[in-house]
Amino acid sequence: MTAVIEKIDEDPQKKGIDRARSVCARWLKTHDNPYLKQWNNILSGDWTEIKKVLLDDSEEATALRQCNPFCGILSPKERWAIYREYRNR
């Protein structure tokens, strides 16, 4: 999640948050999922509060991130770089 946070932090317009809100709204139309409802509430807040959830290491936050509307923030190239980094550790 830190790469997603860094990418959003670097963007003055915070377009990644708008994308996550759009993804969440789209998913809510077809899925009755309590995590999506919780994300919808979280995403109505400001970036500081959203970031806290993304960085939270509690069991609840970890479970919440299993249904993560921040997909698509990183490009495939960025994701593969992360995969390679972890594989090499």
Side-chain angles (χ1 to χ4, degrees):
M1 289 311 309
T2 56
V4 169
I5 291 169
E6 288 172 7
K7 189 163 184 175
I8 293 172
D9 276 340
E10 292 171 0
D11 177 11
Q13 296 177 336
K14 307 288 187 248
K15 294 177 191 171
I17 299 169
D18 292 334
R19 179 176 171 78
R21 288 176 178 143
S22 175
V23 167
C24 189
R26 188 176 71 240
W27 288 353
L28 276 169
K29 290 179 184 177
T30 58
H31 299 85
D32 184 25
N33 182 306
Y35 291 133
L36 288 175
K37 292 174 183 174
Q38 197 170 350
W39 270 119
N40 196 47
N41 289 335
I42 293 164
L43 291 169
S44 68
D46 69 358
W47 175 231
T48 304
E49 294 303 313
I50 296 167
K51 195 184 321 188
K52 286 179 186 176
V53 174
L54 293 174
L55 293 171
D56 188 349
D57 65 353
S58 71
E59 188 174 321
E60 180 182 349
T62 301
L64 180 63
R65 286 191 299 270
Q66 299 307 306
C67 182
N68 190 333
F70 286 89
C71 61
I73 302 295
L74 300 177
S75 70
K77 185 177 181 178
E78 291 167 320
R79 285 194 318 275
W80 280 107
I82 293 167
Y83 297 149
R84 280 191 299 276
E85 178 184 333
Y86 280 100
R87 183 184 65 210
N88 293 333
R89 284 185 183 183

